[in-house]
Amino acid sequence: MTDFTLKQQSFVQNDIPTRLGHLAANLSQIKTLWLEESHQDSIIHLVKESRYFIEWIVPDMVEADDIDRAAELVDLVRVLTRWLFKWDTIWSDATEKLSAAEQTENWLKRVVEISGREPESLSA
């Protein structure tokens, strides 16, 4: 069994709000790292991991008949994927990075709203 499979099994044992909390924590880190010059690999890792988190959250949200909010998370996957495909352009342009940081902030706020938790409880 791979580390990745173990991570998935551990992740999906949590309830949806806790899983959303992990996603929010990743988004918070991404937001902070966008404006630093030396953390490109960390951001890429967090973006990829966040896409997996969403993949592991959405089916249970759909099963719980929370389809509209699950669809919002699918929209977030599209944003994250777009960043990966345009990575060189984004990383080399300060305006693009600032825009990505702002998008991250907006998505972070929305994920916190969807989770139903206060931001302080997500930082732990």
Side-chain angles (χ1 to χ4, degrees):
M1 191 172 292
T2 66
D3 289 339
F4 180 77
T5 303
L6 291 172
K7 185 170 193 150
Q8 180 183 9
Q9 288 177 345
S10 174
F11 186 83
V12 298
Q13 288 179 3
N14 293 313
D15 62 13
I16 292 172
T18 300
R19 287 186 250 172
L20 289 166
H22 290 295
L23 175 59
N26 273 15
L27 293 173
S28 180
Q29 287 182 301
I30 292 167
K31 180 189 75 157
T32 300
L33 295 174
W34 268 124
L35 303 176
E36 297 181 19
E37 292 298 320
S38 62
H39 296 287
Q40 182 174 190
D41 291 337
S42 296
I43 296 172
I44 290 172
H45 170 77
L46 289 165
V47 166
K48 289 179 179 179
E49 183 178 67
S50 296
R51 291 181 342 154
Y52 283 114
F53 285 177
I54 295 167
E55 179 182 326
W56 301 335
I57 296 167
V58 166
D60 291 333
M61 290 178 74
V62 170
E63 188 175 303
D65 203 28
D66 198 357
I67 295 167
D68 291 336
R69 295 189 316 175
E72 287 184 71
L73 294 180
V74 172
D75 288 340
L76 174 54
V77 169
R78 286 196 283 254
V79 169
L80 298 173
T81 301
R82 198 172 304 120
W83 289 347
L84 292 174
F85 278 101
K86 294 176 52 181
W87 189 259
D88 291 335
T89 302
I90 294 170
W91 192 254
S92 64
D93 184 324
T95 303
E96 290 284 334
K97 283 201 294 191
L98 183 58
S99 175
E102 290 170 356
Q103 285 181 311
T104 306
E105 172 69 21
N106 293 335
W107 277 109
L108 171 59
K109 289 176 184 175
R110 185 60 190 136
V111 168
V112 169
E113 289 172 4
I114 291 170
S115 76
R117 293 182 172 204
E118 293 299 315
E120 294 77 23
S121 66
L122 294 174
S123 62

